[in-house]
Amino acid sequence: MGFNIVLTGMVLSAIPIGEYDKRITILTKERGKITAFVKGARRSNNQMLAAANPFAFGQFEVYQGKSTYTVVRAEISNYFRELAEDFDMVCYGYYFLEMTEYYAQENLDEKERLKLLYQTMRALESRKFAFPFIRGIYELRTMAINGEYPNVYSCVKCGKEEKLEFFSMPLRGCVCTECQKESGGNPIDHSTLYAMQFVISTPIEKLYTFQLSEKVMGEFLNLLNTYRSHYVGHRFRSEEFLELL
């Protein structure tokens, strides 16, 4: 016998099924990533019409069968409707959803990933930050959640935490002034280093609370783009739209 459970989460994607139904993917606080059917979600008078769309965040009451979930009711607290009013904004939004869906796992604790996604959407909608800057913060914190982030806390060669003046892409982290003579590495600004440390370690609620100068932001984003191109092999479809912006 199946039973109903209430899950908190955000819709990552939605696919039409049959004539009137949808299959949606939700990142939930309680069950990680799940796929659920929403019957009649494409009917104009269905109460689930808006709730079964990407970006919808709230509580979803689902019927858990033997091998499937079916959404029976939803209370949406944020639809992020303003994202749809700006082409650039919605392109970035879909990129964050796609990356989240790619990395999220079923039946695992994904509270941090869900919190990151929600706070990132809020930052995007606020228009207080440059969109590429939001992307850089999101990507670096995603790397941290995945355990794939660069070492920006100590020298990757000797382990010292002082004089971290250089960053080695082949070694995936910082190199101190002494080790740089043998290991190589490019100079890294102290502000860039501190920004990376902040993004990796600060509570997610405080993640979008700082700004960078144009020079530091340029170095921050260039370093992350290079790191990602070296060590994150997957390319997302939504990146094609970002490249056109």
Side-chain angles (χ1 to χ4, degrees):
M1 292 290 292
F3 55 93
N4 286 16
I5 56 175
V6 177
L7 305 173
T8 299
M10 181 181 289
V11 178
L12 303 178
S13 62
I15 301 174
I17 298 293
E19 190 173 357
Y20 297 111
D21 304 339
K22 278 186 178 182
R23 184 176 69 226
I24 64 175
T25 301
I26 314 172
L27 180 62
T28 72
K29 181 172 66 174
E30 299 84 359
R31 298 288 180 92
K33 182 175 68 174
I34 70 166
T35 299
F37 292 94
V38 189
K39 296 181 179 179
R42 296 163 64 200
R43 295 181 184 271
S44 59
N45 61 345
N46 192 286
Q47 62 178 355
M48 292 293 298
L49 180 65
N53 288 326
F55 304 113
F57 177 88
Q59 290 189 323
F60 298 82
E61 182 178 344
V62 300
Y63 173 80
Q64 182 178 359
K66 186 175 181 180
S67 58
T68 61
Y69 293 98
T70 302
V71 180
V72 296
R73 190 175 63 88
E75 292 184 7
I76 304 303
S77 56
N78 199 332
Y79 291 96
F80 290 101
R81 288 192 174 97
E82 290 188 20
L83 295 180
E85 298 175 1
D86 184 290
F87 179 75
D88 291 5
M89 195 183 296
V90 78
C91 287
Y92 274 94
Y94 273 107
Y95 173 71
F96 299 139
L97 291 183
E98 185 182 2
M99 182 176 283
T100 299
E101 183 169 359
Y102 179 78
Y103 286 114
Q105 300 293 318
E106 298 179 9
N107 299 316
L108 289 182
D109 184 353
E110 295 285 13
K111 294 185 184 70
E112 287 292 289
R113 200 181 303 277
L114 177 61
K115 193 182 301 182
L116 172 63
L117 179 61
Y118 183 78
Q119 294 297 336
T120 299
M121 293 302 179
R122 289 189 61 190
L124 190 63
E125 202 173 45
S126 75
R127 300 177 183 269
K128 295 179 180 179
F129 306 91
F131 294 164
F133 183 45
I134 295 176
R135 177 182 177 178
I137 292 174
Y138 171 81
E139 289 179 346
L140 180 55
R141 190 54 179 256
T142 294
M143 292 178 196
I145 293 174
N146 296 343
E148 302 172 334
Y149 61 95
N151 183 352
V152 292
Y153 295 98
S154 61
C155 176
V156 294
K157 293 297 291 183
C158 70
K160 291 181 181 178
E161 298 180 0
E162 299 81 24
K163 299 181 180 179
L164 302 179
E165 306 281 351
F166 300 89
F167 188 93
S168 170
M169 197 60 63
L171 296 178
R172 304 180 69 161
C174 289
V175 178
C176 69
T177 52
E178 287 79 7
C179 293
Q180 189 271 341
K181 299 173 184 178
E182 297 182 1
S183 303
N186 296 318
I188 183 172
D189 189 280
H190 287 169
S191 297
T192 303
L193 180 62
Y194 177 76
M196 295 180 71
Q197 293 173 342
F198 182 86
V199 171
I200 290 170
S201 62
T202 197
I204 289 177
E205 293 84 354
K206 298 181 179 179
L207 196 56
Y208 296 101
T209 58
F210 74 105
Q211 296 279 6
L212 297 176
S213 68
E214 185 175 346
K215 177 183 176 182
V216 174
M217 186 185 298
E219 184 178 67
F220 176 80
L221 295 179
N222 286 335
L223 193 155
L224 288 177
N225 288 337
T226 304
Y227 187 89
R228 185 170 174 272
S229 66
H230 276 72
Y231 298 110
V232 181
H234 187 79
R235 179 171 173 80
F236 299 95
R237 289 184 299 172
S238 50
E239 286 185 76
E240 298 177 9
F241 293 97
L242 297 185
E243 292 170 356
L244 297 176
L245 301 181

